[in-house]
Amino acid sequence: MKPLKIAIQKSGRLNEDSLRLLKDCGISVDNGRDQLKVTVRNFPLEIYYLRNSDIPQYLEDGVIDIAIVGENLLIEKEKNVTVVERLGFSKCRVSLAVPKGVEVKDIHYFEGKKIATSYPNTLKTYLDKNNVTADLHVISGSVEIAPNIGLAEGIFDIVSSGSTLFKNGLKETQVVLKSEAVLAKSPTLTKDAQQLLDQLLFRIQAVQRAKKSKYILLNVPNDKIEAVSSILPVLKSPTILPLAKEGWSSLHSVIEENQFWEVIDQLKLAGAEDLLIVPIDKMVL
């Protein structure tokens, strides 16, 4: 069976996050400096390090089977590819911004204005939806400088923390799109490649699930087990083990990160004591 071909960004934050995910999935990646193609030792996978902007086209053409790429780029390039999993990292916004001193009440401020951007398709779709006509200046990089040199009256670009906008005297006005890294597949994926993708996806989902969950251990009087168990958002039912102390048991379960403090407070009120929270490395269902 031929190895599955996966593309990741050649460098930058998305590259680092993608390699970390593969490592968490038990995939060993050994590549030398400036090596653009790597065959993995312990999984049928070939990694291609590509320019971010080239990845959607390579996916559509079937040059690569799958890719970890920013969702915003897939939307901008408008290629025939399918997102199979949202990965939860490299989150950003794609937003409109103007100089700090400019008052903007709504999107109609940009009517007839010049906007610099690296995402013309996404911006045009948004402007058309809001019946706004603007003059778009397509720039491949350093979009934030455009208002300062008189090239444009606003920009449309990726925003992460907002520090780059602040340093260039700009402020965010409208968030057009929220994006994160996704796993996408080619429309030409073969049956064998899909089988390997399913194996990889199984590992990725186990890692993703674990990151969103915590393992919880707590002690509870036996007469309060039922009340405490009803609070725990368990997979099936909590594990209950008797303690050496008569009349007490230890309950073990899993709790989602976003429910953590709310559930912990309820457990304490219901009589739980000695709570221990442990990170989960992998979570296979």
Side-chain angles (χ1 to χ4, degrees), residues 9-279:
Q9 186 173 298
K10 187 177 179 181
S11 60
R13 179 184 163 196
L14 186 52
N15 167 276
E16 296 168 2
D17 289 340
S18 300
L19 290 175
R20 187 177 300 112
L21 174 62
L22 293 177
K23 182 180 179 182
D24 290 342
C25 290
I27 295 172
S28 301
V29 182
D30 300 316
N31 63 297
R33 187 176 180 85
D34 299 326
Q35 194 171 353
L36 300 181
K37 176 185 172 184
V38 176
T39 300
V40 173
R41 290 184 286 106
N42 60 349
F43 190 87
L45 190 71
E46 283 182 351
I47 301 175
Y48 291 74
Y49 296 93
L50 304 177
R51 280 197 320 173
N52 206 33
S53 58
D54 292 337
I55 291 176
Q57 186 65 61
Y58 284 4
L59 264 179
E60 185 178 60
D61 293 343
V63 176
I64 53 176
D65 299 315
I66 60 173
I68 297 176
V69 63
E71 184 182 19
N72 59 292
L73 187 61
L74 292 182
I75 292 171
E76 171 61 26
K77 295 297 184 179
E78 301 176 336
K79 300 301 178 182
N80 178 30
V81 300
T82 303
V83 172
V84 294
E85 186 76 9
R86 305 179 73 82
L87 300 176
F89 57 77
S90 296
K91 292 185 177 182
C92 67
R93 306 179 299 278
V94 189
S95 301
L96 283 157
V98 298
K100 289 180 182 177
V102 175
E103 279 296 322
V104 179
K105 292 184 178 180
D106 57 42
I107 184 61
H108 294 284
Y109 163 82
F110 292 98
E111 178 67 39
K113 301 288 197 303
K114 298 177 182 178
I115 307 174
T117 184
S118 300
Y119 297 89
N121 293 331
T122 307
L123 178 56
K124 186 176 186 308
T125 298
Y126 181 73
L127 293 176
D128 288 348
K129 181 180 177 181
N130 287 277
N131 298 313
V132 173
T133 302
D135 184 7
L136 308 190
H137 287 248
V138 182
I139 301 176
S140 59
S142 301
V143 174
E144 296 86 358
I145 195 66
N148 292 328
I149 60 175
L151 182 63
E153 293 151 291
I155 69 166
F156 179 66
D157 201 21
I158 288 177
V159 179
S160 294
S161 65
S163 62
T164 303
L165 290 181
F166 180 81
K167 290 174 183 176
N168 286 276
L170 302 173
K171 64 180 181 182
E172 196 172 3
T173 59
Q174 281 91 17
V175 176
V176 174
L177 174 68
K178 291 185 178 180
S179 174
E180 63 184 89
V182 297
L183 182 67
K185 71 175 183 179
S186 169
T188 65
L189 205 65
T190 65
K191 184 177 179 180
D192 286 346
Q194 181 63 55
Q195 184 178 340
L196 291 174
L197 172 57
D198 290 342
Q199 293 177 30
L200 178 61
L201 195 56
F202 177 81
R203 297 190 184 192
I204 289 174
Q205 290 170 346
V207 170
Q208 297 293 88
R209 200 177 294 118
K211 288 180 179 178
K212 297 175 183 177
S213 305
K214 300 291 184 185
Y215 192 76
I216 181 170
L217 303 88
L218 53 91
N219 296 331
V220 61
N222 289 343
D223 62 354
K224 295 183 179 179
I225 288 177
E226 186 175 348
V228 169
S229 297
S230 68
I231 297 170
L232 287 169
V234 296
L235 300 177
K236 289 185 176 67
S237 65
T239 300
I240 303 174
L241 302 173
L243 295 180
K245 184 177 180 180
E246 188 174 349
W248 283 76
S249 294
S250 175
L251 269 65
H252 298 203
S253 187
V254 173
I255 182 172
E256 290 188 7
E257 182 78 41
N258 60 4
Q259 295 178 297
F260 179 76
W261 288 113
E262 179 184 349
V263 173
I264 293 300
D265 290 340
Q266 293 179 41
L267 291 172
K268 288 174 66 70
L269 288 172
E273 298 182 10
D274 309 321
L275 284 76
L276 179 63
I277 312 300
V278 182

